[in-house]
Amino acid sequence: MDYQLYYWTGIQGRGEFVRLALEDAGARYVDVAQEAGDEALQPFLDGERDGARPFAPPFLASGNLVVAQVANILHFLGPRLDLVPEGEAARLQALQLQLTIADLVTEIHDSHHPIASAEYYEDQKDAATRRAVDLRTHRLPKFLGYFEQVVGRGNGHALGAHSYVDLSLFQIVRGLDYAYPEAMAALAPKIPHLRKLESRIAERPNIAAYLASERRLAFNTNGIFRHYPELDGGITNPAAL
């Protein structure tokens, strides 16, 4: 089956969680905006195309079906790409974990844009400094500690076997390594299972090829994971893990 992925050009963003699943599975897909520009998204956002109208990208088109929201897209793709264990319970557990990842992604984004997404970072630096301290001190230990336990109990996987959730956790760790290298270095001894998972995903043949390709956009200060040195630092509450 062919898929068309729609997401903004120039950033990994939330679209990267979908790209990783498609790449890992060796699925045939077109990253539409990378070929046709961001204007290719607008007819869908304006409700001019068939299928459910998305509020924002990423969204995925397959025939006349349009699926939006990262967790929903991966819930749709999981069984089709053999990226979720069989059975309703496993699919629901995967969706639950992916929605929790979505919560973490929002908190990471809001650490550098705590007041308004439409305003420049430089216009909210003071608030971002306070929010980043809370992220490093409380929220990252809480979220990563939770996922560390999940992976530890899953024999090195979120669901006991390879799934799209593993791929998303890989992206979370890689993104945080870029955005908050000091904080992640301080947390490293507390998240050995997540670190092993990250390394194992990077070695999967299709993922390794993708990471080495031009299709993998670099992290930058326009996406979710942004490195501002003044926001990074150690973890003052590692015992929270």
Side-chain angles (χ1 to χ4, degrees):
M1 183 179 294
D2 291 334
Y3 302 99
Q4 294 81 46
L5 173 64
Y6 291 81
Y7 195 69
W8 306 119
T9 57
I11 57 173
Q12 293 182 15
R14 291 172 174 81
E16 193 67 11
F17 294 97
V18 182
R19 288 192 193 100
L20 286 169
L22 292 166
E23 291 283 348
D24 183 69
R28 295 191 304 179
Y29 79 101
V30 177
D31 203 337
V32 177
Q34 301 300 324
E35 297 189 4
D38 288 343
E39 58 271 18
L41 283 68
Q42 206 58 49
F44 289 89
L45 299 176
D46 291 340
E48 298 172 358
R49 295 291 179 88
D50 293 337
R53 180 180 179 181
F55 175 74
F59 51 90
L60 186 83
S62 177
N64 292 327
L65 186 65
V66 178
V67 186
Q69 295 284 0
V70 171
N72 196 35
I73 295 170
L74 293 175
H75 184 64
F76 166 75
L77 286 176
R80 291 166 173 80
L81 301 183
D82 196 24
L83 283 176
V84 67
E86 293 184 0
E88 183 180 26
R91 292 189 66 196
L92 289 175
Q93 184 181 3
L95 177 60
Q96 172 186 315
L97 291 170
Q98 193 67 42
L99 288 168
T100 306
I101 289 171
D103 290 340
L104 174 55
V105 167
T106 297
E107 297 215 22
I108 294 167
H109 172 272
D110 289 354
S111 70
H112 53 74
H113 274 70
I115 295 176
S117 295
E119 293 184 7
Y120 290 111
Y121 162 70
E122 289 73 16
D123 297 327
Q124 47 193 314
K125 286 181 68 173
D126 290 343
T129 297
R130 294 178 60 189
R131 186 65 177 266
V133 169
D134 180 67
L135 179 76
R136 298 194 323 262
T137 301
H138 300 291
R139 305 307 287 163
L140 288 185
K142 189 176 184 67
F143 274 101
L144 296 183
Y146 167 75
F147 287 119
E148 174 71 11
Q149 292 180 10
V150 168
V151 173
R153 294 172 181 174
N155 194 30
H157 299 280
L159 296 172
H162 180 64
S163 71
Y164 65 77
V165 181
D166 289 351
L167 297 165
S168 292
L169 289 174
F170 162 85
Q171 177 67 2
I172 287 289
V173 173
R174 282 288 173 100
L176 287 171
D177 281 343
Y178 170 79
Y180 289 98
E182 290 185 37
M184 288 299 283
L187 283 169
K190 299 288 187 177
I191 54 171
H193 294 299
L194 284 174
R195 281 295 176 193
K196 289 179 182 177
L197 174 62
E198 179 239 340
S199 297
R200 191 167 60 249
I201 293 297
E203 294 172 354
R204 290 179 64 82
N206 287 349
I207 293 297
Y210 170 60
L211 296 177
S213 74
E214 294 182 354
R215 298 191 304 280
R216 171 73 167 186
L217 301 173
F219 290 109
N220 57 60
T221 53
N222 292 315
I224 295 167
F225 301 99
R226 304 189 185 191
H227 178 56
Y228 297 116
E230 62 272 21
L231 299 186
D232 196 11
I235 301 294
T236 60
N237 189 32
L241 274 169

